[in-house]
Amino acid sequence: LIGLVGSEMCIRDSAMISFFPTPYPDELWYSVICRYHIRNGNYCAKHTMRQLYGDGTYTASMMLCGHIVPLLEQLPRGYLSIKDIILRHTLYPYYARFFSTQRKRSTYAYTSNGNADTVHRMGISQASGNHYSVLRYCSVCYQEDLAQYGEPYWHRSHQLPDMQLCVKHRCWLVDTDAVCVHNRQGELFPATFTMHLAQPSTAPIPDSLFALHQLLLDTIDAPFDFKDGTVYYDVIGRALLSRGWRSPTGGHTYATKVEGALLNLYGTSIPAGDISAKQLHATLSRKSVAPRYILQLAVLFGLSLSELLTPPRGPAPDYKKEMQEMYRAGVSMYHIAQLYGTDAKTVARWVK
């Protein structure tokens, strides 16, 4: 027998847990686990993990969902699905949005199976740095959640790496003392009624920073598919060419110039350490897939998430053919190299 009481699923079956909270809109899966922990009256997180995951040593992830099959087996069939949990209540769409189709599918499988290597295979530590360890909340959302649901909860969108704003209310988020550090990973940090004690900043919000946060939100709210997400590379590549920040041959990107343009755009609203020529070069040369840098560039070039993931129309310019025609017309290799921002040796290799 199954019954709904408020936001909870009550289950009357000796082989199942007695109830489980229904996830709220934009609720982080970690928050759902925390609400179960409070409702069940457990004094120790280990007891909650043993009940839900069958392992008292298991640590609840703030970003993903872990191995949830044991939990779902205790719930009525169809009540919750792995797909909905991963795509609607974890940060998986943010990290995987710009992956290739193959990498999307493999990391999705790792995520749904709760594989211990998931964080490494998704490059989460590399993509996030130290930006995902503190839980945050919006003071306006807090009041709205209390009015509508009778309790606060952790919003998924507020926990995105680099997220400083609540896009819905265009206000600053507030950091809490709920920190996911090594010596506290075995604890659970429920959203509490004391969160309203912290006050958000009253500083003005720059338009460029707000545009970046709208894109951050889009990475988790936009429909997710398993199409090739690496097309952003060609889109940004053409934008770099149009600004003169990449050589026409594609062999060199002027990362220092791009860094300067980003620092000028965002000013002090983004820590200077989060914008570096070295990291930009790694992103623009496909050595790493860091959503932070991809989205910073998208704002710089005025690109939406949809435009960023739509393959460019028409073939790319054939610079090799253009150089060959200029050389046959009598233009020296030196002048061709100057025009295309490359060296004479490259021109010599291309025209012969």
Side-chain angles (χ1 to χ4, degrees), residues 55-279:
D55 184 357
T57 63
Y58 182 80
T59 300
S61 171
M62 289 187 178
M63 298 166 288
L64 302 174
C65 56
H67 184 44
I68 56 176
V69 173
L71 168 56
L72 296 184
E73 288 177 344
Q74 300 183 72
L75 301 177
R77 182 175 297 179
Y79 173 51
L80 291 174
S81 72
I82 292 178
K83 182 178 180 180
D84 282 348
I85 292 171
I86 292 175
L87 297 185
R88 295 182 181 180
H89 300 286
T90 77
L91 302 187
Y92 172 85
Y94 166 79
Y95 290 107
R97 183 71 65 173
F98 302 107
F99 287 172
S100 65
T101 295
Q102 180 180 1
R103 192 176 181 188
K104 281 182 177 180
R105 294 191 183 281
S106 64
T107 53
Y108 179 86
Y110 270 85
T111 302
S112 60
N113 292 330
N115 192 293
D117 290 334
T118 304
V119 171
H120 172 70
R121 289 184 175 270
M122 293 189 68
I124 287 179
S125 297
Q126 181 182 18
S128 304
N130 296 319
H131 295 266
Y132 64 85
S133 59
V134 179
L135 287 168
R136 297 174 289 270
Y137 76 95
C138 163
S139 58
V140 183
C141 287
Y142 168 84
Q143 295 295 338
E144 292 181 351
D145 294 341
L146 280 182
Q148 184 168 359
Y149 304 109
E151 63 181 335
Y153 62 91
W154 299 119
H155 283 247
R156 175 176 69 152
S157 59
H158 298 164
Q159 316 313 324
L160 285 166
D162 301 303
M163 203 69 167
Q164 302 179 56
L165 309 174
C166 174
V167 174
K168 179 181 179 182
H169 299 112
R170 192 164 182 148
C171 64
W172 295 96
L173 295 176
V174 178
D175 287 349
T176 69
D177 60 356
V179 183
C180 181
V181 292
H182 180 71
N183 62 346
R184 301 186 71 183
Q185 287 183 349
E187 302 178 45
L188 289 172
F189 301 97
T192 67
F193 294 98
T194 59
M195 291 196 304
H196 67 284
L197 296 178
Q199 295 299 316
S201 170
T202 57
I205 297 173
D207 290 338
S208 59
L209 186 65
F210 187 72
L212 177 61
H213 280 66
Q214 286 181 308
L215 278 181
L216 281 166
L217 185 61
D218 287 345
T219 62
I220 57 170
D221 280 354
F224 187 87
D225 57 46
F226 290 90
K227 296 179 181 178
D228 184 12
T230 65
V231 297
Y232 76 87
Y233 181 81
D234 293 328
V235 176
I236 290 179
R238 293 199 181 187
L240 289 167
L241 279 171
S242 69
R243 297 286 185 95
W245 294 335
R246 173 170 285 178
S247 65
T249 61
H252 182 72
T253 298
Y254 305 103
T256 303
K257 292 183 178 180
V258 180
E259 177 189 27
L262 289 172
L263 289 172
N264 183 61
L265 173 66
Y266 294 110
T268 59
S269 60
I270 293 180
D274 287 350
I275 300 176
S276 71
K278 181 179 179 180
Q279 293 298 333

Side-chain angles (χ1 to χ4, degrees), residues 303-339:
L303 298 168
S304 66
L305 183 66
S306 175
E307 291 169 332
L308 200 55
L309 295 172
T310 300
R313 293 183 178 181
D318 189 346
Y319 295 111
K320 182 176 181 179
K321 183 178 179 181
E322 291 178 6
M323 289 182 184
Q324 290 172 339
E325 291 176 350
M326 292 178 68
Y327 181 70
R328 285 195 292 267
V331 182
S332 70
M333 293 183 189
Y334 174 77
H335 285 96
I336 294 175
Q338 283 190 319
L339 180 64

